[in-house]
Amino acid sequence: MKSEHFVGFFGSGSPDLLFRIHFRPFVYTKVKEILSLKVTTQTYAIWCYIYQRLVSAHTVSIINDIIKTRNTRAFGELCSKMYHRLVGYVTVPLLKCLMHDKNMPPKSNYFKCVLCSKCTKPKERATVNKDITKYLRRKFLIEAKDGDIICNKCRHIFRKERDHKVLPCVKTSKSSSQTTATFSPPSVSLKIPSTSKSHAYCCICKKPGPKLIVISPDVRTATYVDNNILIPSGNRCCPNHICDGHLNDDALCRIKTTDESFVNRTYLLEIMNKMRKKIRESASRRLNFDDSNLSEPDYITMTGLSKINFSEVCSTLKSSVRRAFNSVRQAFMSEFVPANLGFQHISREEVIQKHTRPLAQSMFGGIASNNAILVLDGTYIYVDKSNNFHFQRRSYSTHKGRPLVKPMIVCTTTGYYVSVLGPYLADYRNNDASILTHMLKTNVEEIRDWVNEEDIFVLDRGFRDAIPLLEDLGIQAEMPRFLKKGDKQFSTEDANMSRLVTKIRWIVESSNARIKTWKYLSHTLPTNQIPFIGDFVRIVCALSNKYAQPLSQCRDVESDQLEAAKMIHLSKMSNTLKEHVETENLLKKKLIWKVASECDFENFPRLDDQELRNITCGVYQMKLASSYIQEYTDEESDIFVHREDSNLLRIKIQSRHTSSKKHQLWIRYNESYIDSWYCLCRAGARVVGACSHVAAVLWYLGKELYKDKSVSYGVRNWGEHVFRCKCAA
């Protein structure tokens, strides 16, 4: 139907005037709404005719929805239903004209949001107004047209920014399982490793879904803080990759990252807010072991125990015990310590079978022997100076030059604590020998009933005055030899036997060091804590027995026995090079030596770490080698070679204790192995292992000589930053 026919039907004049004349006021209002939608004149007539003829509440409600949504399909269905109800010869032509109107919205539009392109439902959209049009043009360079649709979510974002001045976000997530947070386009390139963005498969192991979980913001923040890896929001991973709010070690090893990442303003703001929140929580949070946010390293750092072991310790205490210091100490001493420390908590047979190394058994007792081997030594716990003068005198150690108390440690050759006795005073009346004598005579913890005859105590020289008592009890004492009066060097036999003892006795020194790893005991304690020092040391030792690994373990019984047999065999040998030096008077002869060049070392055997350990019979000498060589190379000292015997070397090594002393040593070798060595230091005549000076030269000539010359040895000389006095002559 043409527009002139429409005008003729209703009369002449403008359409607006015709509407005012022929229709009621509420119809005119509806027509004005339609006018704002830019619909054709024929459409106006259809709407007006329907509103005038059918004024029932149900029909008006349906037509109101059609006006709001501009749903042409629903309008067509409504017109079909009312076809036979409408009276008048004009209605049918008008409806047919409407159905073929080319100015109606296309059916393929689907009412997509102009900002996020999401298809919207009738109740989830609105028409773009002038304010939203300006907002889209200013923030996103989007030119919205009249009649464009915006979804409720994007419209709420616009209102939020307008009302609260919040940074804008752009595109909402299309997944219903994700949060409703929106993101601006990636615009910043950072030199930070980042994982690939994926929601369909695991971003760590690339395993597809569906059993994947979205990586939470806390986990993503922790990964960035701990490992400097950015994980895009919305990424998913397998549940087994996350443990206690962090990616586990296996996940961190398998994760693949790019060299740089592209992030948007929203993500940067999220990271900054998370880190700020984490810092504020860390600053205000008190130590609480009931907090599940404490990680495994936190437990180990603060308690020395793993999370599982700490829970087990707490479960052994009474449930009524609160976290009060004295109450916990008393609970430990009444329940936990007696079950894990003391001569009564373990039998002698169990010590022999489970806590004695075959190396020590073969070296001192014999392979078939059934002797218990215990290592004893005192350790020091430093205390403040007391105003009680009597205690001040009795607690002052002339050896250490400061006040202290001495717990006596009794352990096995694997580092297992059998008992802790004391603590004792530190004056001359309470030396190691006096403490051991007191222990045996008073039968502390029934020690005399626990040990048997021919059991072995490994001691240091401070226990020498207790040897007669041990012999009366039938206990065998193994102790380093004493230097004879007037001698400056141990004989080869004494040096060899002393090395056999130190090969076993080092374990008690490491046991004492393990106690000091608990920071409270490594510091100087106030005098009001002296009554509890013994309890603290016992608690630490009991925890170490229960949960810590042995300090010295036997990996192979046969290798332990072979090493013991080798050392015993060497201890019975004499030092042939020492005899040669003394016979030929090589110490005083100087003309028979020449400065060695690198060509003279071409036949020196190449030595690896294992061969060096076989020569030294341990690792302690190798730890000092680099520091000795550092001072040797700084002073530009020379190595001398014998003019007639090219396989005999003479070297001088600076003493690490005395500036005015240099140790002179000799080494004889051939192309395949080191034949012999001799040093003028106190223990340099031994053949059971080499002294530190000989080990340093062997390490340098056999391993380090042909490496990069620019590499520095040892530790940096911090004396460069300290002033020294230059007194006038």
Side-chain angles (χ1 to χ4, degrees):
M1 186 176 182
K2 297 182 179 181
S3 58
E4 55 265 38
H5 297 160
F6 169 78
V7 176
F9 176 76
F10 288 103
S12 62
S14 65
D16 187 79
L17 180 61
L18 292 174
F19 296 152
R20 288 179 180 271
I21 296 173
H22 292 284
F23 306 113
R24 284 171 288 183
F26 81 93
V27 177
Y28 176 78
T29 302
K30 291 299 180 182
V31 171
K32 293 299 291 183
E33 292 181 10
I34 297 174
L35 283 172
S36 65
L37 299 178
K38 304 294 184 180
V39 189
T40 61
T41 310
Q42 292 90 336
T43 309
Y44 301 160
I46 294 279
W47 287 113
C48 296
Y49 192 88
I50 294 174
Y51 263 95
Q52 188 179 20
R53 297 293 183 180
L54 303 173
V55 292
S56 65
H58 178 68
T59 305
V60 172
S61 175
I62 294 175
I63 295 176
N64 282 334
D65 291 339
I66 294 174
I67 292 175
K68 291 180 181 179
T69 61
R70 300 182 65 185
N71 191 336
T72 57
R73 182 177 180 181
F75 178 71
E77 292 176 355
L78 179 63
C79 292
S80 298
K81 292 180 180 180
M82 295 188 297
Y83 180 81
H84 297 287
R85 298 182 58 186
L86 296 176
V87 180
Y89 66 95
V90 184
T91 306
V92 175
L94 287 177
L95 289 175
K96 291 181 179 180
C97 180
L98 176 62
M99 299 306 293
H100 297 286
D101 190 356
K102 296 180 180 180
N103 294 324
M104 292 298 292
K107 297 184 179 180
S108 59
N109 189 21
Y110 297 114
F111 302 99
K112 292 184 178 180
C113 175
V114 67
L115 186 57
C116 66
S117 300
K118 177 182 178 182
C119 295
T120 58
K121 296 180 181 180
K123 296 182 180 180
E124 296 179 356
R125 60 175 175 252
T127 306
V128 174
N129 57 27
K130 293 182 180 180
D131 293 336
I132 297 177
T133 302
K134 293 179 181 179
Y135 168 78
L136 295 176
R137 183 185 303 113
R138 183 178 68 257
K139 294 296 183 181
F140 309 111
L141 303 179
I142 297 176
E143 290 292 341
K145 300 178 181 179
D146 294 337
D148 282 344
I149 298 297
I150 186 170
C151 66
N152 288 344
K153 292 182 180 179
C154 296
R155 187 158 54 93
H156 291 331
I157 294 168
F158 157 70
R159 290 179 177 176
K160 187 176 181 181
E161 180 187 4
R162 182 189 62 187
D163 298 338
H164 304 288
K165 304 301 181 182
V166 179
L167 286 175
C169 298
V170 178
K171 190 171 182 178
T172 59
S173 174
K174 297 184 180 181
S175 174
S176 60
S177 62
Q178 299 183 24
T179 60
T180 59
T182 56
F183 304 92
S184 58
S187 56
V188 181
S189 176
L190 301 177
K191 291 293 184 180
I192 301 176
S194 174
T195 63
S196 59
K197 183 173 180 60
S198 173
H199 190 74
Y201 55 87
C202 175
C203 65
I204 297 173
C205 65
K206 308 305 180 184
K207 178 182 178 181
K211 295 183 179 179
L212 302 177
I213 59 174
V214 178
I215 302 177
S216 65
D218 293 336
V219 175
R220 292 191 283 110
T221 303
T223 304
Y224 170 69
V225 172
D226 298 337
N227 307 101
N228 194 31
I229 296 176
L230 288 177
I231 300 178
S233 59
N235 273 22
R236 298 200 297 173
C237 71
C238 302
N240 58 350
H241 293 325
I242 299 177
C243 180
D244 294 334
H246 295 76
L247 293 181
N248 55 37
D249 295 337
D250 179 65
L252 293 174
C253 293
R254 299 175 63 181
I255 194 169
K256 296 182 179 180
T257 60
T258 58
D259 294 335
E260 61 180 359
S261 56
F262 293 91
V263 297
N264 50 35
R265 294 173 294 175
T266 306
Y267 188 65
L268 288 176
L269 182 62
E270 179 187 354
I271 285 287
M272 294 175 64
N273 288 335
K274 285 289 182 181
M275 293 181 65
R276 180 173 177 271
K277 181 180 178 182
K278 192 176 184 69
I279 293 172
R280 290 176 63 89
E281 290 178 352
S282 300
S284 61
R285 185 175 61 187
R286 295 183 178 181
L287 182 62
N288 182 11
F289 288 100
D290 294 330
D291 188 358
S292 59
N293 291 328
L294 290 177
S295 61
E296 187 80 7
D298 293 336
Y299 275 86
I300 294 176
T301 301
M302 291 183 287
T303 67
L305 303 175
S306 64
K307 192 172 184 178
I308 297 176
N309 293 341
F310 182 80
S311 300
E312 183 179 348
V313 170
C314 293
S315 65
T316 60
L317 306 179
K318 293 181 179 179
S319 59
S320 60
V321 172
R322 297 182 179 178
R323 284 170 169 60
F325 198 76
N326 288 333
S327 299
V328 173
R329 177 183 57 80
Q330 294 170 5
F332 266 112
M333 292 304 299
S334 63
E335 301 174 20
F336 186 80
V337 172
N340 296 281
L341 186 69
F343 280 100
Q344 304 307 316
H345 93 280
I346 189 172
S347 65
R348 178 177 174 275
E349 289 72 21
E350 189 176 355
V351 167
I352 296 172
Q353 296 297 327
K354 297 182 179 180
H355 302 288
T356 301
R357 283 194 62 177
L359 175 68
Q361 197 69 266
S362 303
M363 196 174 294
F364 294 136
I367 298 177
S369 64
N370 193 32
N371 302 329
I373 302 177
L374 300 179
V375 189
L376 288 79
D377 193 21
T379 187
Y380 305 128
I381 304 296
Y382 298 107
V383 297
D384 285 335
K385 185 177 180 180
S386 175
N387 286 331
N388 185 298
F389 295 153
H390 177 73
F391 178 75
Q392 182 186 119
R393 292 191 300 270
R394 300 299 303 275
S395 62
Y396 183 80
S397 171
T398 56
H399 173 58
K400 293 295 183 180
R402 56 190 299 186
L404 54 87
V405 293
K406 295 169 55 176
M408 178 59 65
I409 307 299
V410 182
C411 68
T412 66
T413 55
T414 62
Y416 186 86
Y417 298 97
V418 177
S419 183
V420 176
L421 305 172
Y424 294 90
L425 295 171
D427 60 353
Y428 70 95
R429 297 174 183 172
N430 293 274
N431 55 33
D432 291 343
S434 301
I435 294 173
L436 179 57
T437 301
H438 172 267
M439 289 167 49
L440 294 174
K441 287 186 176 181
T442 58
N443 198 21
V444 177
E445 294 187 6
E446 299 180 358
I447 182 175
R448 296 177 61 174
D449 299 332
W450 194 91
V451 298
N452 290 347
E453 291 186 2
E454 299 184 358
D455 283 349
I456 301 170
F457 282 7
V458 181
L459 312 168
D460 63 8
R461 297 184 179 94
F463 291 89
R464 59 185 178 274
D465 294 337
I467 297 298
L469 177 61
L470 294 177
E471 293 177 348
D472 292 341
L473 297 176
I475 298 175
Q476 177 184 345
E478 295 293 342
M479 183 185 302
R481 299 296 189 266
F482 288 91
L483 188 65
K484 296 179 181 179
K485 188 175 181 179
D487 291 345
K488 295 182 179 180
Q489 187 181 53
F490 287 103
S491 65
T492 302
E493 181 182 359
D494 289 345
N496 289 340
M497 297 306 298
S498 297
R499 183 68 185 98
L500 296 182
V501 176
T502 57
K503 181 67 177 177
I504 303 301
R505 207 197 74 82
W506 69 270
I507 193 68
V508 72
E509 302 292 350
S510 295
S511 299
N512 293 341
R514 171 175 276 184
I515 295 175
K516 299 298 181 65
T517 58
W518 299 72
K519 299 300 183 183
Y520 183 79
L521 297 177
S522 65
H523 297 157
T524 301
L525 301 185
T527 53
N528 61 0
Q529 293 297 305
I530 291 176
F532 314 119
I533 289 178
D535 292 348
F536 296 152
V537 176
R538 291 182 180 89
I539 291 171
V540 168
C541 293
L543 290 171
S544 300
N545 283 347
K546 181 69 173 178
Y547 301 112
Q549 293 292 328
L551 291 171
S552 177
Q553 281 184 303
C554 172
R555 298 182 179 179
D556 185 7
V557 175
E558 184 178 357
S559 62
D560 261 21
Q561 294 175 350
L562 289 175
E563 185 175 4
K566 181 189 77 171
M567 295 182 69
I568 293 174
H569 172 72
L570 292 174
S571 66
K572 299 176 182 179
M573 298 178 61
S574 60
N575 192 326
T576 57
L577 185 56
K578 175 188 176 184
E579 296 173 355
H580 178 73
V581 169
E582 293 175 348
T583 302
E584 299 295 331
N585 197 20
L586 298 181
L587 178 61
K588 296 183 179 180
K589 294 181 179 180
K590 298 182 179 179
L591 296 179
I592 61 175
W593 304 98
K594 66 176 182 178
V595 177
S597 62
E598 290 190 3
C599 298
D600 295 322
F601 302 131
E602 291 180 354
N603 294 331
F604 198 91
R606 301 292 182 265
L607 303 173
D608 57 18
D609 291 338
Q610 184 59 44
E611 291 173 331
L612 289 169
R613 283 195 294 268
N614 290 336
I615 293 174
T616 58
C617 296
V619 297
Y620 175 73
Q621 292 79 9
M622 303 311 305
K623 293 179 179 179
L624 300 178
S626 61
S627 297
Y628 274 115
I629 295 301
Q630 177 189 26
E631 192 167 16
Y632 173 81
T633 54
D634 290 344
E635 294 181 355
E636 297 182 356
S637 300
D638 294 325
I639 299 177
F640 298 92
V641 61
H642 199 280
R643 294 182 182 272
E644 299 178 358
D645 186 359
S646 60
N647 291 339
L648 181 61
L649 304 177
R650 180 173 72 95
I651 307 100
K652 287 185 178 180
I653 294 291
Q654 174 66 48
S655 170
R656 66 173 175 143
H657 300 294
T658 307
S659 299
S660 60
K661 182 183 294 185
K662 286 189 176 182
H663 299 293
Q664 193 167 183
L665 58 95
W666 294 264
I667 297 175
R668 173 172 282 162
Y669 65 92
N670 55 42
E671 294 182 358
S672 57
Y673 62 93
I674 305 298
D675 182 71
S676 56
W677 54 84
Y678 173 55
C679 181
L680 292 181
C681 69
R682 183 173 298 183
R686 72 185 186 208
V687 294
V688 183
C691 67
S692 299
H693 314 106
V694 174
V697 175
L698 294 178
W699 174 80
Y700 177 65
L701 295 179
K703 184 180 178 183
E704 299 293 322
L705 181 62
Y706 299 100
K707 291 186 177 181
D708 188 3
K709 300 297 181 61
S710 62
V711 176
S712 60
Y713 301 102
V715 181
R716 181 179 177 181
N717 183 13
W718 300 107
E720 300 173 354
H721 305 278
V722 182
F723 294 101
R724 63 176 181 174
C725 297
K726 294 183 179 180
C727 300

